[in-house]
Structure formats: structure tokens, C-alpha cells
Amino acid sequence: MAAMDELTSKLTDLYQEHYRQLLRIAVLLVDDRASAEDIVQDAYVRVFDSRARLRDPDKALSFLRQTVLNRARSLLRRRRVARKYQPRLAAKDVQPDNTERGVQRAFLADALAKLPRRQREAVVLRYYADLSEARTAELMGCSQGAVKSYCSRGVARLSDLLGERV
């Protein structure tokens, strides 16, 4: 029982330390803060619920990142199906952020959304989350060479899309 309390404490610390980073990754992947918050929260709940089966508590962060990536993929698949089969009923009801930083963030989010899914994942994980090629490959379920290729193509496409803004 004491070991479980210690693990719960470690998971709480992990939540407080890495929540913002995981949220940023999710926002860049799904381009929707509310959905990203749900994704990250769900990832933490899944880790917490399976804490008894967690053999190595030091790998909880890796499990969280993988869960965030998988949940983002699922959400994007559901969105793609919904766009295909449902008519557009309403436009986004969001006030634009017209500050310089907000405009730059909007340009980057729009450009990232135009990348193919695997390129977007590789660019976000590799350059934004600052993961190694090996760790990015592990999370994406591909080789390091594929990560290099996705990143190279993704950055080149972002440069084209953003022009002089890069």
C-alpha cells in the first residue's frame, strides 16, 4: 500500500511538471486547445488508472507522451470522418488573437495543419518537444531514418508555406 501511495505521489509530481509541455504538443497536433486539454487529461487518467501495472515508474512520462500522440491521432481520424460525412453547420466562434505573437502562432498552426500527419507529428515531437530522433521514432513506431525524412520534408514544406516568416 505504501508503494502505491509513493507512486501516486510521483504521478502527481509528473503531472505538475510536464502538463504544459504535453498540452503544447497536443495543441500543435490537433490545433484546438480544448481538445488538447481533453487529450492530455485523458492520458494522465489512463496512466493513473494503470499505475498498479506500471513496472517502471520512471517510464511514466514516455507512456504519457505515447498516449497523447495516440489520442491526438484518434481525434484527427474522427475529425476527418466527420468532415467527410457531415455538412458544415457553423463556423468557428473564436476571437482571433491579433497580437504579433498570436498572428505568428496562427500562421504556424495553419502551416502545420497543412502538413501530412506523419510529417506534422515528426516536426512537433522532434523540434517542439525536443525529443531525440530515436525517441521520436519509438513514439511514432517507425525507423530513425523515417523520422529524418519526415522532418526534412516537413521543415521544407513549412519553409515554403511560411515563406520569409521562418
Side-chain angles (χ1 to χ4, degrees), residues 108 111-112 114-116 118-128 133 146-166:
L108 178 60
L112 279 169
K114 292 177 184 173
L115 292 180
R118 300 291 278 177
Q119 287 179 14
R120 181 175 54 246
E121 288 174 1
V123 168
V124 168
L125 292 172
R126 182 76 178 98
Y127 299 116
Y128 185 79
E133 287 172 355
V147 169
K148 290 178 185 180
S149 177
Y150 290 138
C151 287
S152 175
R153 291 178 184 155
V155 169
R157 179 74 176 131
L158 283 174
S159 294
D160 291 343
L161 291 169
L162 297 174
E164 62 190 46
R165 293 189 185 274
V166 174

Side-chain angles (χ1 to χ4, degrees), residues 51-71:
R51 68 189 180 281
R53 292 178 282 147
L54 193 61
R55 292 184 192 139
D56 185 359
D58 295 331
K59 296 199 176 184
L61 180 58
S62 296
F63 183 55
L64 279 168
R65 285 185 182 132
Q66 184 68 53
T67 305
V68 167
L69 181 60
N70 289 341
R71 300 297 296 165

Side-chain angles (χ1 to χ4, degrees), residues 75-94:
L75 176 70
L76 292 173
R77 273 192 304 273
R78 285 192 307 274
R79 283 182 181 173
R80 190 171 49 246
V81 169
R83 273 195 309 268
K84 184 175 179 180
Y85 294 107
Q86 292 179 345
R88 261 211 173 330
L89 298 176
K92 281 187 176 179
D93 187 28
V94 177

